[in-house]
Amino acid sequence: MLKTVRDACKPHRMALEFSLAEQIEDLADLIEKAGDGGAFFEKNHITAGMRQLFEMGLRRLAGRSDQAVFELTQAMGGGKTHCMIAFGIVARDEHVRQKVVPEIASGDPFGRARVVAFTGRNYPDHFIWGEIAQQLGKADAFRKFWQDGPKAPDERAWVDLIGEDPTLILLDELPPYFDNAITRTVGGGTLAQVATAALSNLFSAALKLPRLCIVISNLSGTYEGASKDLRKAVKNVEQEARRQAKPITPVELGGDEVYQILKKRLFETLPGERDVEDVVQAYAGAIKEAEKAKSIAKSAEQIADEIRGSYPFHPSIKDIIALFRNNEGYRQTRGLMQFVSKAIRSVFNREANDVYLIGLQHLDLNDGEVRDEIIRIADLRGAIATDIAAGGSAHAETIDAQMQNDAASQVAALLLSASLSTAIDAVRGMTKQRLLERLISPHRSVLEFAEAFDHLRRDAWYLHRDESDAYYFSNVENLTKRLSTEADRAPQNKVDAEMRRRLERIFEAKRKTAYQELMALPMLDEVRLDGPRVLLVLSPDTKDPPEVAARFYETVVQKNNVCILAGDGSDLSNLEEKTRMLYAVAKLQDQLPKTSPHQEELRERFETAEQEYNATVTATFNRIWYPSARGLVATKLAMQFTENRFDGEEQVEKALAATGVSKLVLEIEKDAPGLISRAEDVIWPDNQKRVPWRDIRARALAVPRWIWLPNNGLEALRKIAEQRGIWKYTEDGYIEKGPFEKPRTSVHIIERGYSEETGTATLEVIAKNAGKAAQIFWDTNPGVTKKSHRLTEQKHTTNATRLWFLAIDPSGEHEPGPPETWSNRLTITHQPREGVGSRTIELRVVPRGTIKYTLTGANPAEGISYNSPIEVGTSEVTLYCYAEDQGVSARRNFTIPRAGNAEVHIDPSRKAKLKKRVDAPGTPDTFRLVARAKQVGARLTGATVEVGRGARNASLRFGSETIVTADHIEAVIASLRAALADDMAEVRVTAREIDFTSGHDLSEFVKEWGLQVGANEVEQ
């Protein structure tokens, strides 16, 4: 079974109740108490730096090395004092030396070394040099250098004092001593100058004493804030020491040996390799799962190797602490132990026994000691109290409560630990990916930490992001806090207006199928239901239907013209909260410069806020009430959206048209029979067959039993019923439902051909409502009867001016209807004839008729009767003509050019008609004709369109009087090609006449097409 840290490890008591003061070691302990060397090394790890000091220092004490001075180079709290004590013990005690470092001891044997330890926090009356002499048991030898005032021993004095015996001098924390020494005047200088000279002479004497070893802790870095005189004094000693000193780093805090120190100092027992390997493999498995989710970049193999070296600590601890270990005043090794002890304390006091590696994410910031330790390193109490830990009310804790885990607190604690550097231009925080790598653990999904991070990033007030996408805490409020403030201050009227605007955008009536108008959160006394159907978006409550909706519905007449969107929640507070955030983000976007680095984050925030707003709308407005015979009835609104289309109207349509509701009918044509029958049953007044259409429309708005149709659907249903002969609509605005009397017979006449030269028409005559054996009779006068001429074929050729047709149903089922009249058209032509000194115009009308004319422009219908050619002289003249026969008439004007000019006269500014057949025999000519007609706005009369060839062809012929545009021709070509399934089919077009908007356009067309036109082929 996989063991947790609490199951597998036993911490030292001091690890749970760690006191930094208890861990501060003084060299005096070595001298006054002698110390227990064996016990010391049992609880301390020999670091690489310590081992290097042992090797070189012991060799020097054995007289086998020229390196006499060593400088321990590490910042305050970096293990220097600890290293000195360790070296002092092995130098003093041969037995301990053989036990702790036998391989070194055996190579450089010597007995007991004399050990002198001096700490600069002591100020003996006999000064540093007198203290050294006293500890060597030769106080009298140096009395002369202090008894009558401080005097610096020279090199010879030091050589005589120390002699040939193995001697170790440990000098620790000298800056406090010099800080005091610069205040004491000696002659024309200070005690600091005397002490510097004394130490300088000591370092020089060491070169002549082969078994003297001096270890001094470095003087720079920690005391950079000291006075100018102290800095100078310390620098002088430092320079003297470094002439000879070998630098050694006691503890590599960036390496894995830091874990060995922590294990020895903070734990009594640790598990065996097998239990550790179980944890390693469990983490490797969790990492592999995270790799599948593409949440991290680090491999399982990397993590596994690191855990083997760091157990029971998470490998990330040293990297995170490295971010703040150089904070001013931070004691590196001891501070590290104290900081990590708080993590151990948090894990062992944790309610759940679920930690397999101790990490800084487990810091319990609700524990006063843990919180105080963090604040001591970097004062981030504002971030802690608001975002991380406040007895359950901090943002991370609120997120934990929502997610029912502690993922957000772990995220926040780890980010906080990475935010503690106080140095200028410090590296702080970590990216989301690096954060997730450090949070992964067995039995926890990386996705829950990723989700918690996203929530914390959204909610936290003191969490920031730098240009490298690293997130960190600071005491400066972030955009979230500013947005929260702006959201709280947003004017209520503006919030209401924005909420209304967004709801109207989501549920906007575009297709107008279920409803045509939308009113979001309206004042109900302003709602009017006597027009288009209305969707009301109202605040939900716990009642069904909402109380305000029920009261409103009871008061209106048009009960079937409204539906109500609300939900089963209590109010709109959540939606208002989301709206306030959108308002706040938009306001800050406007206020901040476009170049502000916050603009990108604001853009992301706006997108997130919109998503949350839409999600809240989905959750809030989940029911729609529609009218029925039982009153307002609710159905669920699924609010399911695809492809990022947040279309509320579509969701309402689906809900109302769904099986089981069927309030909305979308396919009128398909369901027409049932809809017509239902309309007659529900909205047709009882016992009335013919009623005003407006009454039907009014009842459709008022009767809840009536279904809903798309916009203008009732009008569409009426037209379908008319087309199918079920209803009749009259021009006086009345509608009548069947059954109706059987329709009378009638005749339908289609002109299939016409000759302009003879006035002869080919007619297709079809009987309607005359039974299967229909008979058609015709005559040249209105009194056509069954005794008149009987039509034996459907096609009838005639040049008569007028004909009357009568359809008869021999079965007698349909009564004869009124005769159908067909009228021919009269065509007037002219022919100029020139003689010697005279000119005449002959007029002709086909098929027949009388002609009247005038040359003055007066009404030709009242002009001169034409009986013989008209003399017109030699000047240009316009002849105005009128023809009539049996009530059919025609007019035509002819402009006769002056004598000798045979060209057809065309006025360029007046409309003109080309009365000549135009052929476009192939596809290129057809589209050239169409393009030209589009360009000048020409219209074609009597056109024929043919597409395809051989057996695969299709054609459409327009009637001889039917006028079409170039767009119509293009549409016909496209339809016929589609019918033939051939987009490239050959096309041909002919037109009997073409109308131009000006004579100029007609003339240009004639030139382009190479046409010859006669006097009777142009009409203006």
Side-chain angles (χ1 to χ4, degrees):
M1 183 182 75
L2 187 64
K3 293 183 179 179
T4 65
V5 169
R6 274 159 55 177
D7 295 334
C9 307
K10 181 180 180 181
H12 282 296
R13 178 197 60 79
M14 53 84 72
L16 301 180
E17 303 294 337
F18 193 94
S19 170
L20 187 62
E22 293 177 6
Q23 305 305 313
I24 296 177
E25 296 156 318
D26 195 317
L27 287 179
D29 290 342
L30 180 65
I31 306 304
E32 295 176 10
K33 300 178 183 177
D36 183 350
F40 178 88
F41 283 106
E42 278 187 14
K43 68 174 184 176
N44 287 281
H45 173 71
I46 299 176
T47 67
M50 191 183 294
R51 182 171 293 276
Q52 182 184 17
L53 179 61
F54 288 177
E55 289 178 353
M56 300 182 73
L58 293 176
R59 188 176 296 121
R60 173 67 178 179
L61 292 172
R64 299 181 56 189
S65 172
D66 294 333
Q67 184 63 50
V69 182
F70 299 91
E71 180 187 13
L72 301 184
T73 58
Q74 199 150 29
M76 184 173 65
K80 300 182 296 297
T81 302
H82 193 73
C83 190
M84 285 183 176
I85 293 175
F87 187 32
I89 291 173
V90 298
R92 181 195 62 189
D93 194 325
E94 182 179 9
H95 174 72
V96 173
R97 189 187 322 146
Q98 292 290 345
K99 183 179 179 181
V100 175
V101 285
E103 71 283 2
I104 298 175
S106 61
D108 298 299
F110 64 92
R112 178 185 177 92
R114 295 178 299 174
V115 178
V116 174
F118 179 82
T119 175
R121 297 188 181 277
N122 295 326
Y123 313 117
D125 293 339
H126 46 224
F127 313 113
I128 292 179
W129 48 94
E131 179 65 19
I132 294 173
Q134 179 172 309
Q135 291 189 29
L136 288 174
K138 298 180 179 181
D140 289 343
F142 264 35
R143 187 178 300 275
K144 60 184 177 180
F145 296 111
W146 60 265
Q147 190 170 33
D148 297 325
K151 300 183 183 65
D154 58 16
E155 182 182 289
R156 170 48 55 190
W158 283 113
V159 170
D160 292 343
L161 178 73
I162 296 171
E164 298 295 325
D165 293 335
T167 303
L168 173 62
I169 298 177
L170 305 173
L171 302 174
D172 193 21
E173 297 195 74
L174 291 180
Y177 184 85
F178 279 92
D179 193 21
N180 177 63
I182 61 176
T183 66
R184 297 181 62 177
T185 302
V186 178
T190 66
L191 176 60
Q193 292 171 317
V194 178
T196 300
L199 291 176
S200 176
N201 293 334
L202 172 62
F203 298 148
S204 175
L207 298 177
K208 298 177 180 179
L209 296 170
R211 304 187 77 175
L212 170 62
C213 180
I214 302 172
V215 181
I216 183 170
S217 61
N218 79 313
L219 308 174
S220 60
T222 304
Y223 298 92
E224 290 178 355
S227 68
K228 179 179 178 181
D229 290 340
L230 175 59
R231 288 199 303 272
K232 181 179 178 181
V234 168
K235 187 173 183 181
N236 289 337
V237 176
E238 187 176 58
Q239 287 175 342
E240 291 297 331
R242 287 185 176 176
R243 295 178 193 275
Q244 304 177 40
K246 165 70 177 177
I248 292 177
T249 302
V251 180
E252 288 291 348
L253 293 178
D256 286 345
E257 69 182 13
V258 69
Y259 295 119
Q260 305 309 316
I261 296 172
L262 293 173
K263 292 178 192 180
K264 273 208 167 188
R265 296 294 294 273
L266 299 178
F267 282 92
E268 285 187 15
T269 60
L270 292 171
E273 291 184 3
R274 182 172 179 178
D275 288 335
V276 173
E277 190 60 28
D278 287 344
V279 174
V280 168
Q281 295 307 318
Y283 269 86
I287 291 291
K288 287 179 180 178
E289 288 300 315
E291 285 181 298
K292 292 178 184 179
K294 297 183 179 180
S295 300
I296 63 167
K298 217 166 192 179
S299 70
E301 292 74 14
Q302 286 176 291
I303 293 289
D305 289 341
E306 293 173 0
I307 292 174
R308 289 187 182 98
S310 68
Y311 185 90
F313 301 104
H314 196 282
S316 65
I317 284 182
K318 66 179 176 62
D319 297 327
I320 296 174
I321 291 178
L323 296 175
F324 63 83
R325 72 185 185 202
N326 291 322
N327 282 11
E328 185 175 352
Y330 186 69
R331 294 180 172 272
Q332 294 196 357
T333 305
R334 292 190 293 276
L336 168 65
M337 286 191 289
Q338 173 153 313
F339 189 69
V340 173
S341 75
K342 303 310 178 189
I344 297 173
R345 174 189 174 94
S346 297
V347 169
F348 278 80
N349 291 339
R350 182 179 172 88
E351 183 176 345
N353 183 14
D354 60 352
V355 176
Y356 300 94
L357 288 177
I358 299 168
L360 302 183
Q361 62 266 36
H362 301 121
L363 289 169
D364 179 6
L365 276 301
N366 279 312
D367 184 321
E369 288 192 16
V370 176
R371 183 172 57 252
D372 291 345
E373 173 66 13
I374 294 289
I375 294 173
R376 185 181 63 80
I377 299 170
D379 192 350
L380 294 175
R381 69 187 73 201
I384 294 171
T386 304
D387 292 336
I388 303 171
S393 63
H395 289 124
E397 293 170 313
T398 302
I399 295 167
D400 285 344
Q402 293 169 349
M403 295 179 61
Q404 297 184 340
N405 57 38
D406 69 342
S409 287
Q410 289 199 36
V411 168
L414 194 56
L415 286 175
L416 177 70
S417 300
S419 307
L420 299 178
S421 176
T422 57
I424 298 174
D425 297 328
V427 175
R428 287 181 292 178
M430 62 185 78
T431 64
K432 179 180 180 181
Q433 184 182 74
R434 181 58 60 86
L435 175 76
L436 296 180
E437 286 175 356
R438 293 166 172 175
L439 288 170
I440 293 169
S441 66
H443 313 311
R444 296 291 292 265
S445 169
V446 69
L447 298 179
E448 68 183 75
F449 291 111
E451 183 182 358
F453 170 80
D454 290 338
H455 286 307
L456 187 66
R457 180 179 59 176
R458 177 198 64 193
D459 296 344
W461 287 5
Y462 293 90
L463 186 63
H464 298 263
R465 181 177 67 177
D466 66 18
E467 61 277 2
S468 66
D469 281 340
Y471 289 84
Y472 64 94
F473 283 106
S474 82
N475 270 332
V476 178
E477 293 177 349
N478 61 14
L479 275 179
T480 300
K481 169 58 175 172
R482 189 169 174 186
L483 287 170
S484 177
T485 301
E486 291 292 350
D488 291 341
R489 293 175 179 173
Q492 188 63 47
N493 62 328
K494 291 189 176 182
V495 173
D496 292 343
E498 179 65 10
M499 187 157 49
R500 188 177 298 110
R501 184 189 71 81
R502 287 184 168 275
L503 287 171
E504 288 173 349
R505 186 181 68 181
I506 291 173
F507 294 97
E508 178 185 359
K510 299 174 183 175
R511 293 176 295 280
K512 301 184 183 298
T513 301
Y515 53 91
Q516 292 79 53
E517 287 188 4
L518 166 68
M519 299 182 74
L521 310 178
M523 299 292 291
L524 290 180
D525 56 359
E526 297 176 356
V527 177
R528 296 290 178 267
L529 299 179
D530 53 357
R533 192 156 54 241
V534 179
L535 171 67
L536 298 179
V537 183
L538 302 180
S539 177
D541 58 28
T542 56
K543 296 185 179 179
D544 180 12
E547 184 175 356
V548 65
R551 289 201 306 267
F552 171 76
Y553 187 73
E554 289 301 318
T555 64
V556 298
V557 174
Q558 297 87 3
K559 296 185 184 298
N560 199 43
N561 205 35
V562 64
C563 55
I564 295 164
L565 177 62
D568 50 15
S570 58
D571 55 38
L572 291 178
S573 57
N574 284 341
L575 191 64
E576 179 180 328
E577 178 185 337
K578 306 304 180 187
T579 307
R580 286 181 174 276
M581 182 53 64
L582 283 165
Y583 174 89
V585 174
K587 183 175 180 180
L588 285 188
Q589 283 178 319
D590 290 339
Q591 288 180 347
L592 294 177
K594 298 301 180 185
T595 56
S596 169
H598 292 306
Q599 287 290 359
E600 176 62 21
E601 182 179 351
L602 284 171
R603 185 188 64 78
E604 294 176 3
R605 294 258 185 170
F606 193 82
E607 292 177 0
T608 301
E610 281 208 314
Q611 292 170 0
E612 292 178 352
Y613 180 91
N614 292 341
T616 305
V617 169
T618 300
T620 303
F621 297 101
N622 55 15
R623 301 183 80 188
I624 186 164
W625 281 264
Y626 61 91
S628 74
R630 306 189 308 274
L632 285 175
V633 177
T635 186
K636 289 186 177 180
L637 201 62
M639 296 293 275
Q640 296 174 346
F641 302 99
T642 58
E643 300 177 358
N644 295 321
R645 289 175 56 252
F646 206 78
D647 187 344
E649 181 189 26
E650 181 181 37
Q651 304 306 311
V652 173
E653 289 175 4
K654 288 180 179 179
L656 294 176
T659 304
V661 177
S662 300
K663 179 65 177 179
L664 176 64
V665 176
L666 298 173
E667 299 182 82
I668 299 176
E669 185 80 31
K670 176 183 175 183
D671 299 326
L675 293 174
I676 293 169
S677 175
R678 187 167 182 174
E680 292 178 355
D681 178 53
V682 174
I683 57 176
W684 214 282
D686 295 339
N687 303 319
Q688 294 188 51
K689 186 174 182 179
R690 186 171 184 270
V691 297
W693 178 243
R694 67 175 179 274
D695 289 357
I696 300 296
R697 293 178 61 184
R699 288 176 63 82
L701 303 183
V703 180
R705 286 180 56 216
W706 175 239
I707 46 79
W708 284 349
L709 301 175
N711 193 27
N712 295 319
L714 190 60
E715 305 298 325
L717 183 64
R718 188 199 76 192
K719 291 178 181 178
I720 292 172
E722 287 184 84
Q723 292 167 357
R724 300 183 184 184
I726 302 173
W727 293 351
K728 286 183 179 179
Y729 182 73
T730 55
E731 294 182 359
D732 59 359
Y734 276 73
I735 188 78
E736 183 179 358
K737 65 179 180 179
F740 305 109
E741 294 181 2
K742 291 188 177 179
R744 293 174 175 268
T745 64
S746 61
V747 175
H748 185 58
I749 303 170
I750 303 173
E751 187 179 288
R752 294 300 187 190
Y754 191 79
S755 170
E756 292 277 359
E757 296 180 356
T758 63
T760 301
T762 300
L763 308 177
E764 183 175 352
V765 186
I766 303 169
K768 295 179 64 178
N769 302 317
K772 295 182 179 179
Q775 297 176 349
I776 300 176
F777 299 88
W778 65 273
D779 212 324
T780 56
N781 63 76
V784 58
T785 66
K786 289 191 288 187
K787 295 181 180 180
S788 300
H789 308 285
R790 181 177 175 183
L791 197 65
T792 57
E793 296 180 357
Q794 272 192 341
K795 288 189 177 180
H796 179 66
T797 302
T798 180
N799 69 350
T801 302
R802 302 188 80 176
L803 291 179
W804 284 263
F805 295 89
L806 177 66
I808 299 295
D809 181 2
S811 68
E813 186 175 350
H814 295 272
E815 292 291 327
E820 183 73 20
T821 305
W822 174 80
S823 298
N824 203 338
R825 55 183 175 273
L826 304 184
T827 302
I828 306 172
T829 61
H830 78 295
Q831 182 62 51
R833 299 191 182 280
E834 294 192 12
V836 179
S838 66
R839 188 164 56 149
T840 59
I841 304 297
E842 292 183 3
L843 298 176
R844 178 170 176 260
V845 59
V846 293
R848 66 189 57 77
T850 60
I851 300 175
K852 292 184 178 182
Y853 70 92
T854 177
L855 297 173
T856 63
N859 183 5
E862 299 174 357
I864 304 167
S865 296
Y866 175 81
N867 295 309
S868 60
I870 306 166
E871 291 190 10
V872 295
T874 59
S875 300
E876 180 179 284
V877 65
T878 298
L879 192 61
Y880 302 90
C881 304
Y882 171 82
E884 189 276 335
D885 185 59
Q886 291 185 260
V888 179
S889 63
R891 293 173 182 267
R892 184 82 184 274
N893 302 333
F894 302 104
T895 298
I896 314 301
R898 69 179 184 277
N901 185 354
E903 293 184 1
V904 176
H905 176 75
I906 301 175
D907 186 338
S909 62
R910 296 174 58 196
K911 292 181 180 181
K913 177 182 289 187
L914 178 62
K915 298 176 68 66
K916 183 180 181 71
R917 178 187 172 98
V918 176
D919 292 314
T923 300
D925 288 333
T926 294
F927 283 100
R928 184 159 63 95
L929 174 62
V930 169
R932 186 64 173 174
K934 275 189 175 183
Q935 181 183 359
V936 300
R939 300 187 300 167
L940 286 65
T941 302
T944 299
V945 181
E946 298 177 355
V947 177
R949 60 177 62 196
R952 287 183 57 77
N953 71 87
S955 63
L956 178 65
R957 185 173 67 83
F958 292 96
S960 60
E961 296 297 316
T962 303
I963 301 173
V964 295
T965 65
D967 288 334
H968 295 141
I969 298 295
E970 275 190 328
V972 170
I973 292 172
S975 296
L976 295 181
R977 279 179 163 178
L980 296 176
D982 183 0
D983 291 341
M984 304 301 292
E986 186 72 12
V987 182
R988 298 167 297 282
V989 170
T990 62
R992 186 174 65 82
E993 295 177 355
I994 302 180
D995 286 281
F996 294 89
T997 56
S998 71
H1000 173 267
D1001 291 338
L1002 184 148
S1003 298
E1004 292 298 313
F1005 179 82
V1006 167
K1007 290 178 185 178
E1008 180 183 341
W1009 284 79
L1011 300 177
Q1012 298 292 327
V1013 295
N1016 291 311
E1017 293 176 330
V1018 176
E1019 180 180 318
Q1020 286 189 292

